[in-house]
Amino acid sequence: MNKLGFIAVALSVLAAGCASNTKQDNYREASFELCNTEVDIYSVSDDGRVRIVCSDGSKFALNSEETLETMRDINIDYCDGEGLGKFNESRKYYSFKCKSGTLLSISK
């Protein structure tokens, strides 16, 4: 009976630890979704800017968490869901390259 109680407590602790996603977890999850392959570099600077480099050479630079939704929309609307090869966000524009090779820059 003690083993069963210990297992139940261990599973509860594990589930609680998995349930709390941090901001970095969200970025990391999105980077795997956008890379569609392994992530070689994932960094967050002191100002909150995120840089992601995928093992296939794809590169992403994000200013905020809201940008992830924009990236998903761009992937669907402009790249037909095939994926992004590069992405950069400036104050006024989103610049990106679809995996097909199409290069675009759109205003925010």
Side-chain angles (χ1 to χ4, degrees):
M1 190 69 169
N2 285 339
K3 286 183 182 180
L4 185 59
F6 177 74
I7 291 172
V9 170
L11 288 174
S12 297
V13 169
L14 182 63
C18 294
S20 58
N21 277 355
T22 65
K23 193 172 187 178
Q24 280 189 330
D25 291 336
N26 292 337
Y27 278 120
R28 195 169 289 123
E29 184 177 309
S31 69
F32 282 111
E33 178 183 322
L34 294 167
C35 286
N36 226 8
T37 183
E38 291 188 31
V39 176
D40 286 345
I41 299 171
Y42 179 90
S43 67
V44 180
S45 61
D46 291 340
D47 65 356
R49 192 157 168 87
V50 176
R51 289 177 180 78
I52 302 165
V53 178
C54 307
S55 61
D56 67 355
S58 300
K59 297 177 184 177
F60 306 105
L62 314 165
N63 287 340
S64 67
E65 192 167 13
E66 291 80 33
T67 303
L68 292 172
E69 284 302 317
T70 302
M71 290 175 74
R72 289 183 184 118
D73 292 343
I74 286 172
N75 182 28
I76 292 167
D77 295 340
Y78 295 95
C79 300
D80 297 325
E82 67 190 18
L84 298 170
K86 292 185 181 189
F87 184 91
N88 190 42
E89 179 182 15
S90 68
R91 286 185 303 138
K92 296 182 180 182
Y93 296 96
Y94 298 113
S95 301
F96 56 94
K97 177 181 179 182
C98 299
K99 294 242 178 174
S100 67
T102 303
L103 291 167
L104 291 170
S105 182
I106 59 173
S107 61
K108 286 186 168 182

